[in-house]
């Protein structure tokens, strides 16, 4: 059963992600757990809130509490720009595989569904939902039981049509009797998701608007967060007590304006900055007078963080060079379709690893940069991506990311790497060799991760980049010289089915371009 890496709430890749602190979000968590326990409550609980209000932290906390009570059926945390969890391709197979673990009585019927329909794993969402999940639950030979599926950040699924289809299918769980499945779901309040819920029966779901919680309640939780998280720094750095005092905590809470992501980012900036915590805190408080909106508060801390961490305060003669490096490295991470380790990123961009490493090290307040170099680098929160790509929000042009320009640049890099492919690149001993007969380390050596990325995503970068004539010329040269090499590479890395879809999409792109010219 194909499972999406990083989907589960307790996946290894999520081991450092935050949970709600003790004494915070108390009323909301109680309301959600009461919904879970109530046999007469609606099938779906939709927690929606704007960026930075703490939805994912709540989801992780609820999933952990349910798991401890043996009530968690499955969990799927969507993450934009992270391969398997950025789309719905493995959503239902991942849920089914977790169900077979949390409720072993389902294993026979799920595996039987695969035996009876060998193509089910390649079929559409509706078939997978019915055969791998709904029917096994309907026919489960067990006593009455109630479990919960946790789905986080549904808005980060890359297809709005898939999002609406997922909602339609999940609604069918309301009719289950013996094994009743409830769905706890979070997302931003985006229009396509609102439309998807409007198409459901009012009896199927209830919603809760996170940013409508009284500000006093949210501020009390944020104050608790700052007090608990900043206190350990006093002993570590030998700071005088009280630090920070009540007045400083109040200023930080005011600047957070109800956004937990502001609090979390500010904490990381104070704790991990290049200066001591007192100096870092002074930088936060000495920034321009706090604006009015919550988004402007968040933008202010991002701007302060970037100006201090990227450009420093030592008076670089050429800040332009540092800004260009930032756009090249961080801009690529922001728009890429999958995460990768820093060393692989350096190879993809064809720049020295030290340049990538130094850029990343200065931005640990907004990036997850693992100590293990084999693990991928990723954004800590989607709001940072939103900020960099919006020229109205990112007021310092040195950090603004031109999304189309970045995609075009990555397309060129991908094409350069694909041009290195050649016939029989793995030196196989004959035609017709099975993939299973080829050692994985042989494939990784001959087609390293950055080349695999280029093979899989070059067309996506082309599609979202600037439609210049040079691009069409590059694609023509690719088709004439490396098309078969590319197909061979895709087959070796197990992506040939995606190659078929890419060829169809390429035909459409070229048809439009030819008509335009």
């Amino acid at each position: 059963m194909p499972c999406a890496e990083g989907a589960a709430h307790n996946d290894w890749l999520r081991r450092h992600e935050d949970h709600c602190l003790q004494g915070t979000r108390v009323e909301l968590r109680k309301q959600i757990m009461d919904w879970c326990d109530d046999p007469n409550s609606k099938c779906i609980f939709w927690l929606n809130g704007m960026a930075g209000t703490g939805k994912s932290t709540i989801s992780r906390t609820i999933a952990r509490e349910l798991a401890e009570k043996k009530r968690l059926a499955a969990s799927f945390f969507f993450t934009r720009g992270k391969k398997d969890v950025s789309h719905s391709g493995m959503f239902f197979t991942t849920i089914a595989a977790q169900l077979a673990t949390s409720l072993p009585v389902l294993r026979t019927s799920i595996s039987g569904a695969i035996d009876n329909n060998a193509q089910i794993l390649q079929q559409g969402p509706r078939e997978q939902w019915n055969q791998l999940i709904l029917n096994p639950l309907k026919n489960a030979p067990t006593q009455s039981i109630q479990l919960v599926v946790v789905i986080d950040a549904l808005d980060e699924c890359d297809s709005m049509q898939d999002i609406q289809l997922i909602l339609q299918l999940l609604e069918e769980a309301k009719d289950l009797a013996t094994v009743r499945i409830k769905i706890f779901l979070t997302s931003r309040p985006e229009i396509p998701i609102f439309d998807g819920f409007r198409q459901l029966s009012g009896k199927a779901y209830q919603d809760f608007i996170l940013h409508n919680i009284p500000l006093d309640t949210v501020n009390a939780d944020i104050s608790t967060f700052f007090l608990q998280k900043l206190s350990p720094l006093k002993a570590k750095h030998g700071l005088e007590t009280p630090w920070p005092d009540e007045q400083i905590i109040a200023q930080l809470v005011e600047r957070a304006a109800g956004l937990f992501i502001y609090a979390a980012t500010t904490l990381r900036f104070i704790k991990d900055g290049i200066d001591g915590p007192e100096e870092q805190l002074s930088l936060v408080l000495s920034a321009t007078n706090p604006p009015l909106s919550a988004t402007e508060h968040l933008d202010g801390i991002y701007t302060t963080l970037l100006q201090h961490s990227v450009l420093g305060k030592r008076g670089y003669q050429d800040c332009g060079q540092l800004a260009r490096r930032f756009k090249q490295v961080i801009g690529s991470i922001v728009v890429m379709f999958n995460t990768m380790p820093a060393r692989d990123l350096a190879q993809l961009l064809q720049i020295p690893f030290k340049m990538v490493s130094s850029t990343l090290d200065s931005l640990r307040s907004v990036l997850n940069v693992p100590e293990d170099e084999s693990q991928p680098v990723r954004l800590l929160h989607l709001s940072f991506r939103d900020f960099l790509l919006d020229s109205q929000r990112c007021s310092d042009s040195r950090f603004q990311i031109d999304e189309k320009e970045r995609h075009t640049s990555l397309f060129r890099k991908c094409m350069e790497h694909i041009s290195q492919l050649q016939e029989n690149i793995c030196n196989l001993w004959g035609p017709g060799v099975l993939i299973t007969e080829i050692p994985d380390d042989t494939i990784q050596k001959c087609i390293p991760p950055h080349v695999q990325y280029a093979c899989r995503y070059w067309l996506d970068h082309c599609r979202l980049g600037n439609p210049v004539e040079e691009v069409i010329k590059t694609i023509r040269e690719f088709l004439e010289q490396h098309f078969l090499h590319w197909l061979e590479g895709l087959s070796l890395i197990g992506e040939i089915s995606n190659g078929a879809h890419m060829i169809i999409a390429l035909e459409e792109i070229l048809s439009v371009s030819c008509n335009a010219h």
Side-chain angles (χ1 to χ4, degrees):
M1 186 87 75
C3 293
E5 182 183 18
H9 77 101
N10 58 349
D11 189 276
W12 173 258
L13 296 176
R14 298 185 179 276
R15 65 193 182 279
H16 297 309
E17 294 181 347
D18 292 332
H19 294 78
C20 294
L21 293 176
Q22 186 174 2
T24 63
R25 301 293 200 183
V26 175
E27 290 300 321
L28 175 58
R29 287 158 59 186
K30 182 180 183 302
Q31 182 175 340
I32 295 169
M33 296 307 292
D34 287 346
W35 164 80
C36 293
D37 296 335
D38 184 358
N40 298 315
S41 62
K42 295 181 180 179
C43 175
I44 300 174
F45 189 111
W46 176 32
L47 180 69
N48 74 79
M50 62 183 185
T53 48
K55 300 181 295 298
S56 293
T57 302
I58 294 169
S59 294
R60 286 189 292 272
T61 305
I62 294 299
R64 183 176 65 181
E65 291 181 10
L66 289 169
E68 291 171 351
K69 295 179 178 181
K70 309 294 185 185
R71 298 280 306 284
L72 182 67
S75 58
F76 197 104
F77 281 59
F78 282 99
T79 308
R80 184 166 294 160
K82 191 178 175 186
K83 199 178 180 182
D84 297 340
V85 289
S86 66
H87 58 81
S88 64
M90 296 186 188
F91 176 73
F92 286 114
T93 57
T94 301
I95 297 295
Q98 292 184 40
L99 269 174
T101 300
S102 57
L103 199 60
V105 72
L106 298 178
R107 292 177 185 173
T108 301
S109 53
I110 293 175
S111 59
I114 299 173
D115 290 339
N116 295 331
N117 180 4
Q119 301 301 313
I120 185 62
L121 301 181
Q122 285 77 46
Q123 290 177 346
R126 187 174 297 280
E127 289 78 11
Q128 291 183 355
W129 162 254
N130 286 328
Q131 297 182 42
L132 298 177
I133 299 175
L134 191 62
N135 291 338
L137 287 170
K138 284 181 178 178
N139 302 319
T142 185
Q143 296 179 344
S144 180
I145 189 173
Q146 187 166 267
L147 300 174
V148 181
V149 174
V150 175
I151 302 169
D152 183 65
L154 183 61
D155 55 290
E156 295 189 33
C157 177
D158 62 8
S159 169
M160 288 301 170
Q161 289 180 319
D162 286 353
I163 288 173
Q164 295 185 350
L165 177 57
I166 286 172
L167 291 175
Q168 293 171 18
L169 296 175
L170 292 176
E171 181 190 21
E172 298 175 5
K174 73 180 189 301
D175 298 321
L176 291 169
T178 306
V179 180
R180 189 179 182 200
I181 294 292
K182 291 184 173 183
I183 296 94
F184 176 73
L185 185 153
T186 75
S187 78
R188 295 188 188 189
E190 296 183 353
I191 291 176
I193 297 181
F194 267 115
D195 290 342
F197 273 103
R198 288 193 189 101
Q199 296 173 24
L200 306 186
S201 164
K203 297 179 180 180
Y205 76 95
Q206 68 184 71
D207 62 357
F208 187 96
I209 302 174
L210 191 55
H211 49 266
N212 280 355
I213 294 177
L215 187 58
D216 288 347
T217 302
V218 178
N219 283 348
D221 287 344
I222 293 176
S223 178
T224 299
F225 173 87
F226 277 124
L227 284 169
Q228 290 192 26
K229 293 293 188 178
L230 289 175
S231 292
L233 295 179
K234 287 189 292 188
K236 181 178 179 181
H237 295 271
L239 302 177
E240 294 182 1
T241 301
W243 182 92
D245 59 30
E246 292 183 4
Q247 183 179 358
I248 289 177
I249 293 292
Q251 289 182 52
L252 291 173
V253 171
E254 179 186 0
R255 288 167 180 258
L259 293 184
F260 277 85
I261 186 58
Y262 176 96
T265 304
T266 299
L267 172 72
R268 287 190 293 267
F269 181 67
I270 294 171
K271 184 174 66 173
D272 301 328
I274 58 179
D275 296 317
E278 288 182 302
E279 291 79 3
Q280 295 289 113
L281 177 57
S282 296
L283 278 171
V284 173
L285 298 177
S286 64
T288 54
N289 291 329
L292 296 176
S293 75
T295 301
E296 288 173 327
H297 279 267
L298 184 60
D299 295 349
I301 188 61
Y302 281 149
T303 301
T304 299
L305 184 154
L306 290 174
Q307 290 173 345
H308 183 69
S309 300
V310 177
L311 304 180
K313 60 181 182 179
R314 294 177 290 276
Y316 287 99
Q317 291 183 349
D318 188 10
C319 287
Q321 182 179 357
L322 294 171
R324 285 191 294 272
R325 182 192 301 177
F326 170 85
K327 292 185 177 184
Q328 185 177 22
V329 176
I330 307 304
S332 297
I333 292 174
V334 160
V335 304
M336 284 172 63
F337 296 97
N338 194 17
T339 55
M340 61 173 53
R343 199 169 293 277
D344 295 326
L345 177 63
Q347 291 180 300
L348 178 68
L349 299 178
Q350 297 174 315
I351 59 178
F353 171 66
K354 286 185 178 180
M355 184 181 295
V356 172
S357 180
S358 63
T359 303
L360 298 178
D361 284 341
S362 66
L363 291 168
R364 291 178 180 268
S365 300
V366 287
L367 298 175
N368 182 352
V369 185
E371 296 299 326
D372 182 354
E373 289 187 0
S374 67
Q375 296 299 312
V377 177
R378 60 184 179 82
L379 302 177
L380 284 170
H381 199 270
L382 192 62
S383 62
F384 185 56
R385 177 185 189 274
D386 297 340
F387 166 76
L388 293 176
L389 295 178
D390 189 336
S391 60
Q392 299 299 314
R393 293 180 57 188
C394 184
S395 57
D396 192 329
S397 61
R398 293 173 295 184
F399 305 113
Q400 293 172 7
I401 304 299
D402 184 326
E403 188 170 6
K404 284 186 174 294
E405 186 278 328
R406 261 305 85 214
H407 278 299
T408 302
S409 177
L410 283 168
F411 162 74
R412 294 191 185 104
K413 295 297 182 185
C414 288
M415 287 289 97
E416 290 177 22
H417 291 300
I418 290 177
S419 67
Q420 299 173 14
L421 297 174
Q422 58 187 9
E423 184 178 352
N424 193 19
I425 192 170
C426 289
N427 296 314
L428 303 180
W429 47 94
V433 175
L434 295 177
I435 295 294
T436 53
E437 297 175 0
I438 308 172
D440 185 61
D441 58 350
T442 297
I443 297 176
Q444 294 296 320
K445 179 180 179 181
C446 298
I447 311 178
H450 65 283
V451 180
Q452 294 186 26
Y453 180 92
C455 288
R456 176 63 185 86
Y457 295 110
W458 67 268
L459 186 60
D460 293 303
H461 288 300
C462 172
R463 179 171 52 85
L464 295 175
N466 293 308
V468 296
E469 291 188 33
E470 174 202 347
V471 169
I472 303 303
K473 179 183 177 182
T474 302
I475 292 177
R476 176 169 180 163
E477 292 175 354
F478 155 73
L479 292 172
E480 292 175 344
Q481 300 173 25
H482 298 289
F483 179 67
L484 293 179
H485 301 155
W486 170 65
L487 289 181
E488 180 184 334
L490 284 178
S491 68
L492 287 166
I493 64 176
E495 294 281 1
I496 196 68
S497 59
N498 282 318
H501 293 296
M502 291 169 71
I503 292 170
I504 295 171
L506 177 60
E507 183 179 21
E508 296 176 358
I509 291 173
L510 293 178
S511 296
V512 172
S513 297
C514 289
N515 291 335
H517 291 286

